[in-house]
Amino acid sequence: MITRRSLLKSLAVGSVAAAVPAATLIAQAEEEFEKLTLKGDIKQSVSRWCFGNIPLDAFCVICKRFGMVGIDLIDENDWDTVIKHDLIVTMSNGPDQIGHGFNRLEHHDGLIERFERIIPLAAEKKVPNIICFSGNRRGMSDEQGLENCTIGIKRLVPIAEKHGVTVHMELLNSLRDHHDYMADKTPWGAELVERVGSERFKLLYDIYHMQIMEGNMIDNIRKYKDAIGHYHTAGVPGRRDLDDQQEIYYPAVIRAIKETGYHGFVAHEFIPKNGIQSLHEAVKICDV
């Protein structure tokens, strides 16, 4: 299974950008792209793996120039690099995997042990959010998965509450990218959030994935706003730029998010057509 971590490694291997000195990349960004000062209602971030061919130090400087507040999906060993640039690790990678999550009781002991180790460390570094996954169905019913996930997450939330870190289960599409993944619909995820009943457990609503699975995004964002704690962006089809070649009109979606009273993070998670130019344009599109 392709994971974000494996994609990050593949982007880094043999990459031209990775061989360019960080200072050169920063100078290029300063020469070619205006410095952005965003409205600030929506705090924008970006997923690290999508730009894994850029050295992290240089990428942090570029993100700050583009007005973003942080970087998403950062491994524990890279937290300090992001933090030293006065950016937020807006979502940390967690210790579980997309296909191996909380929907199986036999996974719980190992997952809880690993989350119990990383959550206090995240709190110490002021990392506010950690991602988690449901796991794949492999023949399991959605109701059984809900029951099992509820049991496991309820074991986890006391430590999340104690340390003030929010665990987010990501909603992913099972039609194209993550076949058989269980948390593939907003109503299922929202029911899980309700059953767990903690402000330290929310959904990561990935706009790209949910457009593929169910559409009706603005209505669902409004309906399930209390269950959602984080957003990801990307164009459909192809997980590419937020441009006029894809089917989502992002200004309307971001306005709808703002209208719910949301003041959290929106992290870009698309594969850019034109490197950091694509990111610069996405940030401007979502600054509504």
Side-chain angles (χ1 to χ4, degrees), residues 11 16 51 55 58 62 70 112 154-155 226 258:
L11 284 167
V16 174
F51 295 85
I62 292 166
I112 297 299
K154 278 192 170 183
R155 287 179 59 186
D226 293 334
K258 285 176 60 174

Side-chain angles (χ1 to χ4, degrees), residues 182-195:
M182 180 163 279
D184 61 354
K185 295 282 191 355
T186 311
W188 187 95
E191 175 65 20
L192 177 59
V193 171
E194 183 174 348
R195 292 187 186 191

Side-chain angles (χ1 to χ4, degrees), residues 119 156-167 198 200-201:
I119 285 174
L156 179 60
V157 292
I159 191 166
E161 292 168 347
K162 176 181 177 181
H163 292 281
V165 174
T166 304
V167 178
S198 170
R200 290 301 173 185
F201 177 68

Side-chain angles (χ1 to χ4, degrees), residues 27-41:
Q28 289 174 345
E30 291 175 345
E31 289 173 6
E32 297 176 20
F33 301 102
E34 64 175 313
K35 185 175 182 179
L36 299 178
T37 302
L38 307 184
K39 294 183 177 71
D41 298 332

Side-chain angles (χ1 to χ4, degrees), residues 1 94-112 114-115 131-138 140 144-146 148-153 156 167-170 172 180-183 188 192 201:
M1 178 177 291
D96 57 349
Q97 299 174 10
I98 289 172
H100 182 100
F102 280 93
N103 66 344
R104 281 183 158 69
L105 298 178
E106 60 268 27
H107 296 169
H108 289 179
D109 287 347
L111 290 174
I112 297 299
R114 293 192 289 275
F115 272 100
I131 197 170
C132 78
F133 302 101
S134 66
N136 290 347
R137 289 184 173 89
R138 301 205 300 272
M140 180 181 290
Q144 186 63 61
L146 266 174
N148 292 350
C149 284
T150 301
I151 292 168
I153 300 295
L156 179 60
V167 178
H168 290 77
M169 182 171 285
E170 185 168 16
L172 302 170
D180 202 42
Y181 184 70
M182 180 163 279
W188 187 95
L192 177 59
F201 177 68

